[in-house]
Amino acid sequence: MLESIVVPANLLTFPLSPDAVRLLRDADERISDFTRRQRPWVENFAVCDFRLVDAALAWIGEADLARGERFCEWGSGFGVVAMLAALRGWDSFGIEVEPVLVDEAQSLAEDHEIEVIFAAGSFIPEGGEDSLQIVDDISHIDMDCPSGYDDLDADVADFDLFFAFPWPGEHAYWEAVFDRYAAEGALLLTYHGIESREVDSLKLQRKVGQIDRIDETN
């Protein structure tokens, strides 16, 4: 069961660190170059508002919302959010289905000396495909790629905070995977910028048990 946590509207009061400024400047250049030269085009590749997500990570840390310090970016692309999380002190990982993007992420992390572990594979655990029945259209989710968790030597339940940028209409599937496999108390931060105003573009949810929900209403 998922419980929503209100994300404050003034997130951008949290400043970027100097290391994050350098990372975002370099990432922007590399992503622009990648989109110009990459053929065939990686169809599912899109970038979120990294500045806003970094501020959300800062807020989550300051508010002590997470139960631990392990972070995983689902569909990590160039790995920028995973790197921002590492700069914020998280033990950070990323899973990406496109090997070419994993290579780009590893190169960026190495050049900025940021410790993040990336894996090529699916964010869906083995056997998680049966959650498909809850969503009619999941055209942007690769269901044939092996799970990436073996390469991370981890399970979904080992992480305390996840970040994802689902395509419009596919959020329910990502949330279902999180609800089924994440540990109780884990957090899911999702970006909705394609379909929302900036103030509403981030959503934070916590996995809670039925007993927790009952206690809070008493």
Side-chain angles (χ1 to χ4, degrees):
M1 181 176 296
L2 304 187
E3 175 186 60
S4 294
I5 299 174
V6 177
V7 178
N10 62 341
L11 281 179
L12 293 180
T13 58
F14 290 92
L16 283 168
S17 69
D19 286 340
V21 171
R22 287 189 289 271
L23 171 64
L24 294 189
R25 184 181 302 120
D26 189 14
D28 181 65
E29 293 177 357
R30 296 191 191 203
I31 291 170
S32 295
D33 179 64
F34 178 83
T35 57
R36 286 194 300 267
R37 63 179 167 78
Q38 181 63 28
R39 298 292 184 275
W41 171 242
V42 179
E43 181 181 356
N44 295 339
F45 178 55
V47 298
C48 65
D49 185 338
F50 297 130
R51 172 71 182 89
L52 185 64
V53 176
D54 176 74
L57 294 173
W59 163 64
I60 290 169
E62 183 176 275
D64 198 24
L65 295 175
R67 66 187 185 111
E69 300 178 345
R70 299 195 85 191
F71 173 91
C72 185
E73 182 179 7
W74 280 345
S76 51
F78 264 65
V80 177
V81 172
M83 290 178 230
L84 290 171
L87 291 176
R88 291 288 181 184
W90 294 84
D91 186 11
S92 191
F93 300 78
I95 297 177
E96 168 56 51
V97 73
E98 297 287 350
V100 65
L101 294 177
V102 174
D103 292 342
E104 294 287 349
Q106 290 173 334
S107 176
L108 181 61
E110 290 170 2
D111 289 348
H112 285 262
E113 299 182 341
I114 300 174
E115 293 188 11
V116 181
I117 298 175
F118 294 103
S122 172
F123 77 99
I124 305 167
E126 295 294 339
E129 298 83 359
D130 58 3
S131 298
L132 276 171
Q133 58 186 344
I134 68 166
V135 180
D136 294 330
D137 179 13
I138 53 168
S139 58
H140 295 93
I141 299 176
D142 188 337
M143 303 304 302
D144 299 321
C145 182
S147 174
Y149 296 97
D150 286 346
D151 287 347
L152 298 183
D153 194 24
D155 296 317
V156 179
D158 294 328
F159 296 99
D160 307 298
L161 172 62
F162 296 86
F163 172 77
F165 179 10
W167 284 88
E170 298 180 353
H171 300 92
Y173 184 75
W174 297 69
E175 291 171 4
V177 171
F178 173 77
D179 192 24
R180 178 171 178 179
Y181 293 100
E184 191 168 316
L187 298 170
L188 173 64
L189 179 68
T190 50
Y191 180 73
H192 302 247
I194 289 179
E195 53 192 323
S196 303
R197 299 172 301 148
E198 178 177 300
V199 68
D200 301 319
S201 60
L202 289 176
K203 181 178 181 181
L204 182 65
Q205 300 176 88
R206 185 192 303 276
K207 180 175 177 178
V208 298
Q210 183 66 35
I211 294 177
D212 295 334
R213 295 284 299 194
I214 293 174
D215 289 344
E216 288 174 6
T217 58
N218 291 335

